[in-house]
Amino acid sequence: MSSSRVLVLNSGSSSVKYQLLDMRDSSRLAMGLVERIGEESSRLKHTPLASGGASREWTGPMADHEAALKAVSAELAKDGLGLDSPELAAIGHRVVHGGRHFTEPTVIDDAVLAEIERLIPVAPLHNPANLTGIRTARHLRPDLPQVAVFDTAFHTTMPESAARYAIDVETADRHRIRRYGFHGTSHAYVSRATAKLLGKAPEDVNVIVLHLGNGASASAVRGGKCVDTSMGLTPLEGLVMGTRSGDMDPAVIFHLMRVGGMSTDEIDTLLNKKSGLIGLCGDNDMREIRRRIDEGDQRAALAFDIYIHRLKKYIGAYYAVLGKVDAIAFTAGVGENAAPVREAAVAGLEELGMVVDGALNAVRSDEPRLISPGHARVAVAVVPTDEELEIATQTYALVGRI
Ligand code: AMP
């Protein structure tokens, strides 16, 4: 293939994140972000990595995603990398919800668009924004292959025993209620990268992946395939997150309605935006929480303890699900940077073969690395995630076959 570039787009309702990669060597040529689309003060920040130039910022009105993508293309064109370049092989789109239907990256056509649209009821916040990004990109480059890479796809290998909620089967099926899981591109990338770090093939290792960012999820990966993950129908289930509650008794919701007099939307906002770390202590940034703990702040300390307690429960649960664990991998903003979280999550699990070496854990690096001592039965690893590279790799592999 002579064209070797892939543009990765992650479209939100009022934002677009993008990266342009050259797949001959997986290098990043440019990256950027458009925010506040549809407002008077839309903002574009563009970093031309190939030329090594300084970041450029632009603020002004951008009416819609089409205006935003045209502005991105204009910035890319300044370095000869515009959307109309013949070097561009494909555009890879992050799509949050692919339901049960999309088990792999998929070349987008009208039928695929219709199916992503059909999934809006189970992803009302994300899929409409992803669709807008896809439609805009197709409008600007109708001749170019566009690929949807789904956050849920990696988890479609979960057995029914892990994917089904124990509720009435007919009701569940009628409303497509089941556990789909999210952050799939990250879990896929990190589980493979962890196998590589151990010098083994993904088929030969069992890994627990802990994706700890502002959103957080755990997965149990057996021989390269996901067998359980902590997020469910939506990204609300599972671990304590920056602003989301994670697991709780669903009756809390009835209680808030009946006794608290709250509406469905109010409870949705409470559990998704005002819970988790921010609800517990007023901060969702782990750096700030650690700083407060160092100053003796009790609320921050309790929030940290609740966060770690939940994390540890999932490590134990996935150890039991997998039976044998070769590695546990920490990734994303908190997992890659917060040594105290890694230390506390694994503390006391020596009987399970999990130990963290204090000196190795304290090392700061952007490289995948082991933080367990050489003799440990289970390797504990820090593996920086790279969702854009994963989306670009999957996109390029697919368009190379068509
Ligand atoms: P992500 O969603 O993966 O971008 O992760 C964002 C979160 O990572 C932030 O909200 C912080 O809690 C956390 N984070 C980022 N950098 C650090 C750091 N140096 N130390 C501790 N936590 C960090």
Side-chain angles (χ1 to χ4, degrees), residues 19-82:
Q19 283 195 11
L20 182 69
L21 293 97
D22 187 334
M23 298 316 292
R24 283 174 302 191
D25 57 0
S26 302
S27 62
R28 253 160 271 252
L29 304 173
M31 64 191 286
L33 166 70
V34 191
E35 292 172 296
R36 301 196 290 265
I37 297 170
E39 293 180 27
E40 283 301 306
S41 59
S42 311
R43 177 172 165 266
L44 167 66
K45 184 173 182 196
H46 177 85
T47 307
L49 300 162
S51 60
S55 295
R56 303 190 284 268
E57 280 193 43
W58 181 90
T59 309
M62 274 187 229
D64 51 24
H65 282 70
E66 176 134 0
L69 262 196
K70 280 185 176 158
V72 169
S73 186
E75 285 303 326
L76 288 167
K78 289 180 187 166
D79 293 303
L81 303 168

Side-chain angles (χ1 to χ4, degrees), residues 17 183 211-216 242 277 284-290 307 331-341 364 385 387:
K17 277 192 220 149
H183 292 145
H211 176 111
L212 310 177
N214 199 30
L277 291 170
N284 62 332
D285 192 312
M286 194 50 83
R287 284 163 285 202
E288 189 56 20
I289 292 170
R290 290 303 311 174
Y307 183 95
T331 193
V334 175
E336 290 167 29
N337 296 298
V341 168
R364 296 195 63 85
T385 192
E387 290 169 272

Side-chain angles (χ1 to χ4, degrees), residues 184-263:
T185 43
S186 178
H187 287 283
Y189 177 86
V190 171
S191 56
R192 269 207 323 272
T194 305
K196 192 171 166 202
L197 184 65
L198 300 182
K200 296 197 170 156
E203 299 76 47
D204 296 333
V205 290
N206 292 351
V207 186
I208 297 174
V209 178
L210 302 172
H211 176 111
L212 310 177
N214 199 30
S217 61
S219 68
V221 183
R222 175 182 290 135
K225 291 200 171 12
C226 176
V227 292
D228 203 353
T229 193
S230 59
M231 284 178 167
L233 173 73
T234 77
L236 183 56
E237 190 179 341
L239 300 173
V240 176
M241 310 183 209
T243 66
R244 293 177 219 148
S245 63
D247 295 336
M248 53 166 215
D249 182 347
V252 169
I253 296 170
F254 317 141
H255 189 82
L256 287 171
M257 289 173 121
R258 292 186 187 126
V259 181
M262 290 175 75
S263 70

Side-chain angles (χ1 to χ4, degrees), residues 88-310:
L88 190 60
I91 299 180
H93 296 268
R94 175 184 184 215
V95 179
V96 166
H97 217 308
R100 298 183 73 178
H101 188 83
F102 294 112
T103 58
E104 290 190 344
T106 306
V107 176
I108 298 167
D109 58 18
D110 290 345
V112 170
L113 275 182
E115 184 60 28
I116 297 173
E117 194 155 9
R118 221 169 63 83
L119 289 162
I120 287 176
V122 283
L125 296 180
H126 295 103
N127 274 26
N130 300 157
L131 277 167
T132 304
I134 294 171
R135 290 204 173 99
T136 308
R138 282 182 102 203
H139 188 227
L140 291 177
R141 279 298 305 267
D143 55 313
L144 201 64
Q146 314 240 354
V147 173
V149 179
F150 299 93
D151 254 19
T152 46
F154 185 62
H155 305 303
T156 54
T157 50
M158 273 197 288
E160 285 296 279
S161 53
R164 277 211 178 260
Y165 291 109
I167 63 172
D168 173 67
V169 171
E170 277 81 39
T171 307
D173 287 351
R174 189 172 334 120
H175 299 292
R176 284 188 278 180
I177 295 170
R178 61 189 280 114
R179 308 190 57 256
Y180 294 100
F182 298 88
H183 292 145
T185 43
S186 178
H187 287 283
Y189 177 86
V190 171
S191 56
R192 269 207 323 272
T194 305
K196 192 171 166 202
L197 184 65
L198 300 182
K200 296 197 170 156
E203 299 76 47
D204 296 333
V205 290
N206 292 351
V207 186
I208 297 174
V209 178
L210 302 172
H211 176 111
L212 310 177
N214 199 30
S217 61
S219 68
V221 183
R222 175 182 290 135
K225 291 200 171 12
C226 176
V227 292
D228 203 353
T229 193
S230 59
M231 284 178 167
L233 173 73
T234 77
L236 183 56
E237 190 179 341
L239 300 173
V240 176
M241 310 183 209
T243 66
R244 293 177 219 148
S245 63
D247 295 336
M248 53 166 215
D249 182 347
V252 169
I253 296 170
F254 317 141
H255 189 82
L256 287 171
M257 289 173 121
R258 292 186 187 126
V259 181
M262 290 175 75
S263 70
T264 312
D265 285 348
E266 283 170 341
I267 298 172
D268 195 330
T269 305
L270 175 79
L271 299 181
N272 275 296
K273 306 240 167 82
K274 299 182 182 169
S275 297
L277 291 170
I278 207 160
L280 289 167
C281 74
D283 271 308
N284 62 332
D285 192 312
M286 194 50 83
R287 284 163 285 202
E288 189 56 20
I289 292 170
R290 290 303 311 174
R291 195 191 59 71
R292 283 173 56 187
I293 294 172
D294 289 343
E295 287 177 354
D297 186 318
Q298 293 301 311
R299 257 183 89 191
L302 179 59
F304 186 82
D305 288 349
I306 295 169
Y307 183 95
I308 296 296
H309 181 75
R310 185 82 52 85

